Amino acid sequence: MKRLVEGNEAVFLGALKAGATFFAGYPITPSSEILALAAEHAARDHGFKFIQSEDEIAAANAIIGASLAGAKSFTATSGPGFSLVQEAIGYAHQAEVPTVFVNVQRVGPATGMPTMPAQQDILQTKYGSSGDYYPLVFYPNSVEECYRYAITAFNAAEESMSPVILLSDAFIGHLNEVVDLDAIEVKVVPRSRPPLGTGKRSFSGLAHDEEGNPRTADAEVYRKWLSKVKARHEEVAARYSDFKFKGNTSSDTLIISYGIVSRVIAPLDSEFALFRPIRIFPMLGPELQHYAQGYKKIVVIEANDGQYGCLVERELKREVIQVPLLGGRISLGLAKKGLSEKLGREVH
Amino acid sequence: MFKELLKLERFPTIWCPGCGIGQIMIQLAMVMDELGLDHTNCTVISGIGCTGRLAGYMNMDSVYTLHGRTLPVAEAVKLVNPSLKVIVVSGDGDLASIGGNHLLHAVRRNPDLTVLCNNNQVYGLTGGHAGPTTPRDTRTVSSPAGSPYDPVNLQNLMKAGAKYFYAKTTVYHQVHLRHCIKEAIAWPGFAFVDITSQCIENHGRRLGFNSAYEMLLHFRKTYKRAPDGAEILGPDEIGIVRKG
């Protein structure tokens, strides 16, 4: 049935569709609707478990416990809350625990601008915890995609045996669009690991061998483990090499943008070629290289001070023009103004 | 046999000779054996620190969590699978300092968990730093002039809940320790066992003890059984206070 759905609601409904039965969270704008929906759902359906945690740290660790106990689990947070869950994200990578973290981005650092959208956590999703890890990160730009990629995030989590991050922002999270979610066909990957109480396994944040024995001073065991985990993440990522490309043969410039910014600048397609990565990490290296080929100039427009742009530059090994949209005011006018300045000509 | 509940192939443990944690582990395994708890119906969850390593020696599914995060993990496990007996074993620093906020809220929510707290009054693994339970004026690596603060009052913290179970015991009082663990496991709610224990290598020697044995004798001399039905345990009393 077609109806008006909000981005945050679509994320929650996608999680349910994916088989999630556990949510823990701490209220924080602009992600709180997901927590409220989880609370309401738990009140109706006793198979669905909900904890309003004392802080985001507790929530992040609760979803890890829930996953080990056999539930598909998730949390949703924003801004400073996303900083607080970083340690747990690292733990889930080390202990190989599938779970989903939703981050509805707002302007930071710190308390920043709590109700204004931003894309300032891009690098934090990849590098926020200690150590080396290979996160899978998706960033939808519509209500329908919020639903779709919430499901994808759960699937990828089970396949990669690791936490997957679903990015959103204050605009996408609060965006209302008419969609028919029932009509969306998606596959759901079943739970990958037998729950606690069925074996003699040791789950831990320590470096470990194949049997789970702590191996905290053996470089060879660690290297072998990390390369295995890396290969698994690359293999899973390859199943979700999702992006949108709109070529423009009359233009010499390709604009790369994602999430809310890609929606805002969509009208520029008459003047520019547009590329939108949906799988933000691991980066779409070969795809970016392929589509950037015919274009003299590469521009990255994003609501941060060049976080993805610097990685695109590294990926393409060529100069990238950066147009930052800062302070939560994301508009086509602002993007055109930035483009005009950087390209040295009037963009209409 | 309680030994079947331990991963003997991982022995020797990482703990120093004379450490109290091994005794807690043995008593826990004996109680579990008596109650029929094993890998099919029980899980052990621990935090960071010397005590944290205990989970990995139990011959069942276990989780060695992040520092301070045993309780959020354990609460979630219990919520997802209420039929599983969930036993948390961790140190005083892990539970009462870095995990203090979770402890406060676990008391409020009263989940059905058994918590064994190895209370050695020090951060042993890091080399002997003052912790939340270090008595006032005690010299440690991080309090060379003596700890300036009174220790956290775990008994009062537990009693902040409308329903509570708080047991105080020591590694010296083995029969009492086992009794406390058994009662805690049977308690239908949040049960906290505060086990005074010895860290000879990174604490006791600095305090003037020559051996773990001397520390145990000190526990014997210091602690007396509280009268049955006592509603409050004095600082030198062992016993159980509870309200259902």
Side-chain angles (χ1 to χ4, degrees):
Chain A
M1 189 189 73
K2 277 195 174 188
R3 67 177 183 94
L4 205 55
V5 182
E6 192 194 47
N8 279 342
E9 184 186 2
V11 167
F12 179 74
L13 294 172
L16 283 189
K17 181 76 182 175
T21 55
F22 186 95
F23 179 94
Y26 184 83
I28 183 164
T29 306
S31 73
S32 304
E33 290 83 6
I34 300 173
L35 177 143
L37 286 163
E40 272 176 32
H41 190 75
R44 285 194 303 269
D45 174 358
H46 295 298
F48 186 90
K49 305 296 180 189
F50 167 82
I51 296 181
Q52 182 176 329
S53 299
E54 54 272 25
D55 55 33
E56 287 90 345
I57 297 173
N61 285 280
I63 64 170
I64 288 170
S67 172
L68 290 172
K72 285 189 179 179
S73 63
F74 68 124
T75 188
T77 187
S78 182
F82 192 58
S83 299
L84 286 175
V85 305
Q86 292 305 319
E87 187 194 21
I89 288 174
Y91 178 90
H93 276 284
Q94 178 65 256
E96 301 174 52
V97 181
T99 186
V100 172
F101 289 80
V102 181
N103 177 15
V104 188
Q105 297 168 96
R106 67 189 215 189
V107 178
T111 314
M113 302 167 82
T115 63
M116 301 298 282
Q119 302 180 317
Q120 292 177 300
D121 302 339
I122 300 299
L123 290 181
Q124 195 179 197
T125 60
K126 186 162 170 60
Y127 297 117
S129 199
S130 63
D132 284 308
Y133 56 104
Y134 310 96
L136 284 135
V137 183
F138 299 95
Y139 194 167
N141 84 344
S142 69
V143 171
E144 189 196 312
E145 278 193 4
C146 282
Y147 180 78
R148 230 179 242 287
Y149 284 97
I151 299 164
T152 300
F154 278 92
N155 289 346
E158 293 300 335
E159 291 167 336
S160 67
M161 304 288 279
S162 71
V164 171
I165 294 166
L166 182 67
L167 283 176
S168 173
D169 56 68
F171 274 4
I172 296 292
H174 291 160
L175 188 65
N176 279 273
E177 292 184 296
V178 175
V179 288
D180 183 0
L181 298 181
D182 303 328
I184 297 172
E185 292 277 326
V186 280
K187 62 154 192 171
V188 168
V189 174
R191 281 247 340 141
S192 49
R193 181 189 268 142
L196 290 176
T198 58
K200 296 178 175 179
R201 303 157 295 177
S202 303
F203 296 101
S204 97
L206 289 172
H208 52 83
D209 60 21
E210 303 257 335
E211 286 76 44
N213 296 303
R215 297 293 288 271
T216 56
D218 192 327
E220 266 318 299
V221 169
Y222 182 82
R223 287 172 194 150
K224 210 173 131 197
W225 170 80
L226 195 67
S227 78
K228 195 176 124 191
V229 167
K230 188 176 182 177
R232 188 167 73 218
H233 279 74
E234 280 166 0
E235 190 193 321
V236 175
R239 291 173 211 164
Y240 305 103
S241 298
D242 296 0
F243 62 91
K244 296 280 184 224
F245 173 71
K246 204 164 183 189
N248 188 331
T249 45
S250 62
S251 175
D252 66 350
T253 304
L254 173 71
I255 295 178
I256 297 166
S257 66
Y258 50 85
I260 181 61
V261 173
S262 65
R263 283 298 282 277
V264 170
I265 67 154
L268 293 175
D269 64 343
S270 55
E271 222 178 312
F272 299 94
L274 304 177
F275 184 91
R276 170 168 75 97
I278 300 173
R279 194 192 80 206
I280 299 293
F281 293 118
M283 287 189 76
L284 296 158
E287 294 82 358
L288 275 167
Q289 273 158 22
H290 175 76
Y291 290 101
Q293 258 170 16
Y295 296 94
K296 243 169 74 187
K297 292 177 183 168
I298 306 294
V299 179
V300 175
I301 309 182
E302 53 188 333
N304 62 55
D305 200 7
Q307 293 191 18
Y308 207 59
C310 69
L311 297 181
V312 171
E313 201 162 66
R314 192 173 75 182
E315 207 63 54
L316 295 179
K317 297 183 178 61
R318 56 187 276 201
E319 195 192 344
V320 163
I321 298 164
Q322 300 191 350
V323 178
L325 308 179
L326 300 172
R329 295 289 171 194
I330 298 166
S331 67
L332 185 59
L334 193 67
K336 282 180 180 172
K337 190 166 165 270
L339 276 171
S340 300
E341 280 168 17
K342 293 284 171 76
L343 297 176
R345 66 178 172 87
E346 201 62 30
V347 173
H348 303 289
Chain B
M1 265 295 287
F2 77 89
K3 281 185 183 172
E4 285 163 15
L5 295 166
L6 300 173
K7 283 186 172 151
L8 295 176
E9 68 275 17
R10 287 191 182 176
F11 281 36
T13 68
I14 65 148
W15 301 314
C16 307
C19 174
I21 303 169
Q23 282 304 320
I24 296 173
M25 181 165 75
I26 297 297
Q27 294 301 337
L28 172 63
M30 287 170 110
V31 171
M32 288 170 78
D33 183 48
E34 199 182 322
L35 299 177
L37 296 173
D38 59 25
H39 70 282
T40 63
N41 54 19
C42 185
T43 186
V44 173
I45 295 176
S46 71
I48 299 295
C50 296
T51 320
R53 288 298 192 98
L54 189 148
Y57 297 122
M58 300 305 293
N59 200 16
M60 57 191 60
D61 283 342
S62 69
V63 190
Y64 177 43
T65 71
L66 282 170
H67 197 13
R69 314 305 168 206
T70 53
L71 296 177
V73 171
E75 274 194 70
V77 169
K78 187 69 187 177
L79 196 58
V80 170
N81 185 355
S83 66
L84 207 58
K85 182 54 80 178
V86 182
I87 297 173
V88 172
V89 187
S90 203
D92 46 328
D94 188 82
L95 285 161
S97 185
I98 188 167
N101 194 29
H102 310 312
L103 189 59
L104 182 68
H105 289 274
V107 166
R108 178 170 69 94
R109 287 192 288 257
N110 195 30
D112 187 9
L113 301 176
T114 304
V115 181
L116 308 186
C117 175
N118 173 55
N119 186 346
N120 58 11
Q121 299 104 46
V122 77
Y123 284 101
L125 192 60
T126 54
H129 301 91
T133 50
T134 302
R136 180 184 274 274
D137 298 330
T138 306
R139 288 186 181 193
T140 70
V141 168
S142 61
S143 59
S147 174
Y149 313 115
D150 285 322
V152 63
N153 188 327
L154 289 168
Q155 180 180 193
N156 281 4
L157 181 57
M158 291 308 128
K159 285 177 169 174
K163 296 177 179 177
Y164 58 83
F165 178 106
Y166 172 79
K168 170 82 178 283
T169 185
T170 88
V171 170
Y172 173 78
H173 300 85
Q174 302 255 318
V175 175
H176 187 252
L177 167 59
R178 198 178 334 175
H179 170 71
C180 289
I181 295 173
K182 213 168 146 182
E183 290 290 300
I185 288 174
W187 185 256
F190 191 69
F192 192 93
V193 185
D194 180 359
I195 307 163
T196 297
S197 160
Q198 76 280 9
C199 170
I200 180 65
E201 293 303 330
N202 275 335
H203 192 44
R205 291 198 195 285
R206 275 190 205 97
L207 301 179
F209 292 101
N210 290 309
S211 66
Y213 179 62
E214 280 186 17
M215 294 185 84
L216 288 168
L217 289 182
H218 175 70
F219 296 159
R220 180 175 74 172
K221 200 174 84 190
T222 307
Y223 292 100
K224 299 284 174 284
R225 284 284 291 265
D228 282 343
E231 287 181 7
I232 186 164
L233 300 176
D236 298 333
E237 285 181 328
I238 57 173
I240 299 173
V241 287
R242 58 189 130 189
K243 190 172 158 194

